[in-house]
Amino acid sequence: MLINKAYKFRLYPSKEQETLIAKTIGCSRFVFNRFLGQWNDTYQETGKGLTYSSCSAELTQLKKEFVWLKEVDSIALQSSLKNLADSFTRFFKKQNKAPRFKSKKNPVQSYTTKVTNSNIAIVDNKIKLPKLGYVRLAKSREVEGRILSATVRRNPSGKFFVSIVVKTDVQPLKKTESSIGIDLGIKDFAVFSDGHKMDNHTFTAKMEKKLRREQRKLSRRALNAKNNG
């Protein structure tokens, strides 16, 4: 069974890459807000919105007017436009509220890019991203599956992260037609309704160490009290 699965890693871009990430985030926000304004005006005048195709064609012309849009990943700009179109589609279906303008003051800033001609790939402890090239990342586990997209985020503390979405094949577990109750605790990590217990080894080890330390303190105090009468 094919499913989409996400991986999240910490990124360590160079100063030049940080600058380009900031530019890409800014340009993606500009495109989103620009077409959101046009979409709102059209909706107020006609009761209907625009289309992704018409906006995409206009974006090509927009790059001639604002040449700095060519400095960043073009797929990220298209993704920003596609997110806007999808938001309006859900709005017209009454699945969510109307999209709002994006602010550069939002605590988390991001942009999304998608795979085209192997432009996103993981090689050793680096990830290849459009325009950025190879960016160092803290790969805590192997990425399994075909990469679909990558979202680069910058949090309020200035740290960078990348979320990678892949298409992967998983084998569903066989249904046992049985059920069991689970009670989470402190001494025991979990107690099952069939009587089986799962020990919280980390907690138990810490508490045993602390218990031995407190018992030694108690023994010393008892000895001192005895010696002092």
PDB file of all heavy atoms in Angstrom, residues 156-179:
ATOM      1  N   PRO A 156      11.295  31.104  15.013  1.00  0.00           N
ATOM      2  CA  PRO A 156      11.614  32.409  15.609  1.00  0.00           C
ATOM      3  C   PRO A 156      13.039  32.537  16.141  1.00  0.00           C
ATOM      4  O   PRO A 156      13.583  33.636  16.192  1.00  0.00           O
ATOM      5  CB  PRO A 156      10.600  32.531  16.754  1.00  0.00           C
ATOM      6  CG  PRO A 156       9.464  31.661  16.337  1.00  0.00           C
ATOM      7  CD  PRO A 156      10.077  30.520  15.598  1.00  0.00           C
ATOM      8  N   SER A 157      13.641  31.421  16.546  1.00  0.00           N
ATOM      9  CA  SER A 157      15.006  31.478  17.080  1.00  0.00           C
ATOM     10  C   SER A 157      16.062  31.517  15.990  1.00  0.00           C
ATOM     11  O   SER A 157      17.254  31.612  16.278  1.00  0.00           O
ATOM     12  CB  SER A 157      15.258  30.276  17.997  1.00  0.00           C
ATOM     13  OG  SER A 157      15.220  29.067  17.256  1.00  0.00           O
ATOM     14  N   GLY A 158      15.633  31.446  14.721  1.00  0.00           N
ATOM     15  CA  GLY A 158      16.570  31.493  13.609  1.00  0.00           C
ATOM     16  C   GLY A 158      17.063  30.131  13.157  1.00  0.00           C
ATOM     17  O   GLY A 158      17.919  30.050  12.272  1.00  0.00           O
ATOM     18  N   LYS A 159      16.543  29.060  13.741  1.00  0.00           N
ATOM     19  CA  LYS A 159      16.938  27.718  13.334  1.00  0.00           C
ATOM     20  C   LYS A 159      16.172  27.318  12.076  1.00  0.00           C
ATOM     21  O   LYS A 159      15.038  27.737  11.861  1.00  0.00           O
ATOM     22  CB  LYS A 159      16.678  26.717  14.454  1.00  0.00           C
ATOM     23  CG  LYS A 159      17.527  26.942  15.693  1.00  0.00           C
ATOM     24  CD  LYS A 159      17.197  25.922  16.771  1.00  0.00           C
ATOM     25  CE  LYS A 159      18.038  26.145  18.018  1.00  0.00           C
ATOM     26  NZ  LYS A 159      17.708  25.179  19.107  1.00  0.00           N
ATOM     27  N   PHE A 160      16.814  26.492  11.250  1.00  0.00           N
ATOM     28  CA  PHE A 160      16.218  26.065   9.993  1.00  0.00           C
ATOM     29  C   PHE A 160      15.919  24.565  10.036  1.00  0.00           C
ATOM     30  O   PHE A 160      16.690  23.776  10.589  1.00  0.00           O
ATOM     31  CB  PHE A 160      17.156  26.355   8.816  1.00  0.00           C
ATOM     32  CG  PHE A 160      17.364  27.821   8.568  1.00  0.00           C
ATOM     33  CD1 PHE A 160      18.362  28.514   9.243  1.00  0.00           C
ATOM     34  CD2 PHE A 160      16.565  28.510   7.678  1.00  0.00           C
ATOM     35  CE1 PHE A 160      18.563  29.862   9.023  1.00  0.00           C
ATOM     36  CE2 PHE A 160      16.756  29.858   7.444  1.00  0.00           C
ATOM     37  CZ  PHE A 160      17.756  30.545   8.120  1.00  0.00           C
ATOM     38  N   PHE A 161      14.793  24.207   9.424  1.00  0.00           N
ATOM     39  CA  PHE A 161      14.381  22.805   9.352  1.00  0.00           C
ATOM     40  C   PHE A 161      13.855  22.515   7.945  1.00  0.00           C
ATOM     41  O   PHE A 161      13.424  23.427   7.231  1.00  0.00           O
ATOM     42  CB  PHE A 161      13.287  22.501  10.377  1.00  0.00           C
ATOM     43  CG  PHE A 161      13.714  22.660  11.808  1.00  0.00           C
ATOM     44  CD1 PHE A 161      13.620  23.895  12.434  1.00  0.00           C
ATOM     45  CD2 PHE A 161      14.214  21.592  12.532  1.00  0.00           C
ATOM     46  CE1 PHE A 161      14.019  24.065  13.752  1.00  0.00           C
ATOM     47  CE2 PHE A 161      14.618  21.750  13.844  1.00  0.00           C
ATOM     48  CZ  PHE A 161      14.517  22.991  14.458  1.00  0.00           C
ATOM     49  N   VAL A 162      13.896  21.244   7.575  1.00  0.00           N
ATOM     50  CA  VAL A 162      13.319  20.834   6.303  1.00  0.00           C
ATOM     51  C   VAL A 162      12.401  19.645   6.555  1.00  0.00           C
ATOM     52  O   VAL A 162      12.744  18.716   7.286  1.00  0.00           O
ATOM     53  CB  VAL A 162      14.413  20.461   5.268  1.00  0.00           C
ATOM     54  CG1 VAL A 162      15.266  19.294   5.749  1.00  0.00           C
ATOM     55  CG2 VAL A 162      13.789  20.147   3.917  1.00  0.00           C
ATOM     56  N   SER A 163      11.203  19.708   5.987  1.00  0.00           N
ATOM     57  CA  SER A 163      10.252  18.597   6.051  1.00  0.00           C
ATOM     58  C   SER A 163      10.151  17.980   4.666  1.00  0.00           C
ATOM     59  O   SER A 163       9.838  18.677   3.693  1.00  0.00           O
ATOM     60  CB  SER A 163       8.877  19.092   6.512  1.00  0.00           C
ATOM     61  OG  SER A 163       8.937  19.615   7.819  1.00  0.00           O
ATOM     62  N   ILE A 164      10.437  16.706   4.580  1.00  0.00           N
ATOM     63  CA  ILE A 164      10.472  16.000   3.307  1.00  0.00           C
ATOM     64  C   ILE A 164       9.292  15.041   3.239  1.00  0.00           C
ATOM     65  O   ILE A 164       9.085  14.235   4.153  1.00  0.00           O
ATOM     66  CB  ILE A 164      11.780  15.212   3.150  1.00  0.00           C
ATOM     67  CG1 ILE A 164      12.988  16.135   3.352  1.00  0.00           C
ATOM     68  CG2 ILE A 164      11.848  14.534   1.787  1.00  0.00           C
ATOM     69  CD1 ILE A 164      14.281  15.386   3.545  1.00  0.00           C
ATOM     70  N   VAL A 165       8.515  15.124   2.173  1.00  0.00           N
ATOM     71  CA  VAL A 165       7.390  14.220   1.961  1.00  0.00           C
ATOM     72  C   VAL A 165       7.787  13.204   0.904  1.00  0.00           C
ATOM     73  O   VAL A 165       8.261  13.575  -0.176  1.00  0.00           O
ATOM     74  CB  VAL A 165       6.119  14.973   1.524  1.00  0.00           C
ATOM     75  CG1 VAL A 165       4.981  13.996   1.239  1.00  0.00           C
ATOM     76  CG2 VAL A 165       5.697  15.974   2.596  1.00  0.00           C
ATOM     77  N   VAL A 166       7.596  11.927   1.220  1.00  0.00           N
ATOM     78  CA  VAL A 166       7.966  10.858   0.290  1.00  0.00           C
ATOM     79  C   VAL A 166       6.770   9.947   0.053  1.00  0.00           C
ATOM     80  O   VAL A 166       5.840   9.879   0.862  1.00  0.00           O
ATOM     81  CB  VAL A 166       9.154  10.022   0.835  1.00  0.00           C
ATOM     82  CG1 VAL A 166      10.351  10.902   1.121  1.00  0.00           C
ATOM     83  CG2 VAL A 166       8.744   9.251   2.090  1.00  0.00           C
ATOM     84  N   LYS A 167       6.799   9.275  -1.063  1.00  0.00           N
ATOM     85  CA  LYS A 167       5.829   8.220  -1.358  1.00  0.00           C
ATOM     86  C   LYS A 167       6.513   6.887  -1.075  1.00  0.00           C
ATOM     87  O   LYS A 167       7.553   6.586  -1.654  1.00  0.00           O
ATOM     88  CB  LYS A 167       5.396   8.290  -2.816  1.00  0.00           C
ATOM     89  CG  LYS A 167       4.383   7.224  -3.214  1.00  0.00           C
ATOM     90  CD  LYS A 167       2.991   7.570  -2.763  1.00  0.00           C
ATOM     91  CE  LYS A 167       2.397   8.698  -3.560  1.00  0.00           C
ATOM     92  NZ  LYS A 167       0.980   8.976  -3.200  1.00  0.00           N
ATOM     93  N   THR A 168       5.944   6.119  -0.164  1.00  0.00           N
ATOM     94  CA  THR A 168       6.585   4.870   0.233  1.00  0.00           C
ATOM     95  C   THR A 168       5.566   3.751   0.309  1.00  0.00           C
ATOM     96  O   THR A 168       4.358   3.996   0.479  1.00  0.00           O
ATOM     97  CB  THR A 168       7.293   5.031   1.597  1.00  0.00           C
ATOM     98  OG1 THR A 168       8.016   3.838   1.915  1.00  0.00           O
ATOM     99  CG2 THR A 168       6.291   5.316   2.708  1.00  0.00           C
ATOM    100  N   ASP A 169       6.053   2.539   0.205  1.00  0.00           N
ATOM    101  CA  ASP A 169       5.198   1.356   0.218  1.00  0.00           C
ATOM    102  C   ASP A 169       5.255   0.709   1.593  1.00  0.00           C
ATOM    103  O   ASP A 169       6.341   0.427   2.106  1.00  0.00           O
ATOM    104  CB  ASP A 169       5.654   0.358  -0.855  1.00  0.00           C
ATOM    105  CG  ASP A 169       4.678  -0.795  -1.036  1.00  0.00           C
ATOM    106  OD1 ASP A 169       3.538  -0.674  -0.547  1.00  0.00           O
ATOM    107  OD2 ASP A 169       5.047  -1.813  -1.645  1.00  0.00           O
ATOM    108  N   VAL A 170       4.116   0.508   2.214  1.00  0.00           N
ATOM    109  CA  VAL A 170       4.047  -0.143   3.522  1.00  0.00           C
ATOM    110  C   VAL A 170       3.114  -1.338   3.428  1.00  0.00           C
ATOM    111  O   VAL A 170       2.162  -1.350   2.641  1.00  0.00           O
ATOM    112  CB  VAL A 170       3.568   0.828   4.619  1.00  0.00           C
ATOM    113  CG1 VAL A 170       4.542   1.976   4.790  1.00  0.00           C
ATOM    114  CG2 VAL A 170       2.177   1.354   4.314  1.00  0.00           C
ATOM    115  N   GLN A 171       3.407  -2.323   4.246  1.00  0.00           N
ATOM    116  CA  GLN A 171       2.570  -3.510   4.288  1.00  0.00           C
ATOM    117  C   GLN A 171       1.625  -3.410   5.483  1.00  0.00           C
ATOM    118  O   GLN A 171       2.071  -3.330   6.624  1.00  0.00           O
ATOM    119  CB  GLN A 171       3.436  -4.772   4.405  1.00  0.00           C
ATOM    120  CG  GLN A 171       4.366  -4.994   3.222  1.00  0.00           C
ATOM    121  CD  GLN A 171       3.609  -5.151   1.928  1.00  0.00           C
ATOM    122  OE1 GLN A 171       2.529  -5.753   1.903  1.00  0.00           O
ATOM    123  NE2 GLN A 171       4.160  -4.620   0.843  1.00  0.00           N
ATOM    124  N   PRO A 172       0.319  -3.392   5.251  1.00  0.00           N
ATOM    125  CA  PRO A 172      -0.620  -3.280   6.374  1.00  0.00           C
ATOM    126  C   PRO A 172      -0.545  -4.500   7.286  1.00  0.00           C
ATOM    127  O   PRO A 172      -0.319  -5.628   6.829  1.00  0.00           O
ATOM    128  CB  PRO A 172      -1.981  -3.178   5.685  1.00  0.00           C
ATOM    129  CG  PRO A 172      -1.775  -3.807   4.337  1.00  0.00           C
ATOM    130  CD  PRO A 172      -0.362  -3.508   3.954  1.00  0.00           C
ATOM    131  N   LEU A 173      -0.712  -4.284   8.572  1.00  0.00           N
ATOM    132  CA  LEU A 173      -0.697  -5.377   9.536  1.00  0.00           C
ATOM    133  C   LEU A 173      -1.983  -6.189   9.441  1.00  0.00           C
ATOM    134  O   LEU A 173      -3.054  -5.659   9.129  1.00  0.00           O
ATOM    135  CB  LEU A 173      -0.533  -4.828  10.952  1.00  0.00           C
ATOM    136  CG  LEU A 173       0.764  -4.060  11.231  1.00  0.00           C
ATOM    137  CD1 LEU A 173       0.738  -3.484  12.640  1.00  0.00           C
ATOM    138  CD2 LEU A 173       1.976  -4.955  11.050  1.00  0.00           C
ATOM    139  N   LYS A 174      -1.863  -7.458   9.719  1.00  0.00           N
ATOM    140  CA  LYS A 174      -3.037  -8.327   9.689  1.00  0.00           C
ATOM    141  C   LYS A 174      -3.960  -7.996  10.859  1.00  0.00           C
ATOM    142  O   LYS A 174      -3.508  -7.736  11.969  1.00  0.00           O
ATOM    143  CB  LYS A 174      -2.610  -9.794   9.765  1.00  0.00           C
ATOM    144  CG  LYS A 174      -1.831 -10.263   8.544  1.00  0.00           C
ATOM    145  CD  LYS A 174      -1.483 -11.740   8.679  1.00  0.00           C
ATOM    146  CE  LYS A 174      -0.717 -12.237   7.458  1.00  0.00           C
ATOM    147  NZ  LYS A 174      -0.361 -13.679   7.580  1.00  0.00           N
ATOM    148  N   LYS A 175      -5.256  -8.008  10.583  1.00  0.00           N
ATOM    149  CA  LYS A 175      -6.238  -7.758  11.629  1.00  0.00           C
ATOM    150  C   LYS A 175      -6.392  -8.994  12.510  1.00  0.00           C
ATOM    151  O   LYS A 175      -6.531 -10.109  12.010  1.00  0.00           O
ATOM    152  CB  LYS A 175      -7.580  -7.379  11.013  1.00  0.00           C
ATOM    153  CG  LYS A 175      -7.549  -6.057  10.246  1.00  0.00           C
ATOM    154  CD  LYS A 175      -8.926  -5.695   9.713  1.00  0.00           C
ATOM    155  CE  LYS A 175      -8.882  -4.361   8.987  1.00  0.00           C
ATOM    156  NZ  LYS A 175     -10.228  -3.972   8.460  1.00  0.00           N
ATOM    157  N   THR A 176      -6.334  -8.776  13.816  1.00  0.00           N
ATOM    158  CA  THR A 176      -6.434  -9.900  14.764  1.00  0.00           C
ATOM    159  C   THR A 176      -7.839 -10.090  15.299  1.00  0.00           C
ATOM    160  O   THR A 176      -8.122 -11.086  15.964  1.00  0.00           O
ATOM    161  CB  THR A 176      -5.493  -9.666  15.947  1.00  0.00           C
ATOM    162  OG1 THR A 176      -5.880  -8.465  16.628  1.00  0.00           O
ATOM    163  CG2 THR A 176      -4.047  -9.530  15.468  1.00  0.00           C
ATOM    164  N   GLU A 177      -8.722  -9.117  15.018  1.00  0.00           N
ATOM    165  CA  GLU A 177     -10.101  -9.157  15.509  1.00  0.00           C
ATOM    166  C   GLU A 177     -10.145  -9.230  17.042  1.00  0.00           C
ATOM    167  O   GLU A 177     -11.063  -9.813  17.624  1.00  0.00           O
ATOM    168  CB  GLU A 177     -10.850 -10.360  14.903  1.00  0.00           C
ATOM    169  CG  GLU A 177     -10.863 -10.400  13.385  1.00  0.00           C
ATOM    170  CD  GLU A 177     -11.541  -9.174  12.773  1.00  0.00           C
ATOM    171  OE1 GLU A 177     -12.381  -8.560  13.458  1.00  0.00           O
ATOM    172  OE2 GLU A 177     -11.209  -8.846  11.624  1.00  0.00           O
ATOM    173  N   SER A 178      -9.149  -8.667  17.702  1.00  0.00           N
ATOM    174  CA  SER A 178      -9.125  -8.644  19.162  1.00  0.00           C
ATOM    175  C   SER A 178      -8.811  -7.231  19.622  1.00  0.00           C
ATOM    176  O   SER A 178      -8.338  -6.401  18.852  1.00  0.00           O
ATOM    177  CB  SER A 178      -8.087  -9.634  19.708  1.00  0.00           C
ATOM    178  OG  SER A 178      -6.785  -9.271  19.275  1.00  0.00           O
ATOM    179  N   SER A 179      -9.080  -6.962  20.891  1.00  0.00           N
ATOM    180  CA  SER A 179      -8.831  -5.634  21.446  1.00  0.00           C
ATOM    181  C   SER A 179      -8.194  -5.778  22.820  1.00  0.00           C
ATOM    182  O   SER A 179      -8.284  -6.838  23.466  1.00  0.00           O
ATOM    183  CB  SER A 179     -10.133  -4.836  21.553  1.00  0.00           C
ATOM    184  OG  SER A 179     -11.064  -5.500  22.389  1.00  0.00           O
TER     185      SER A 179
END
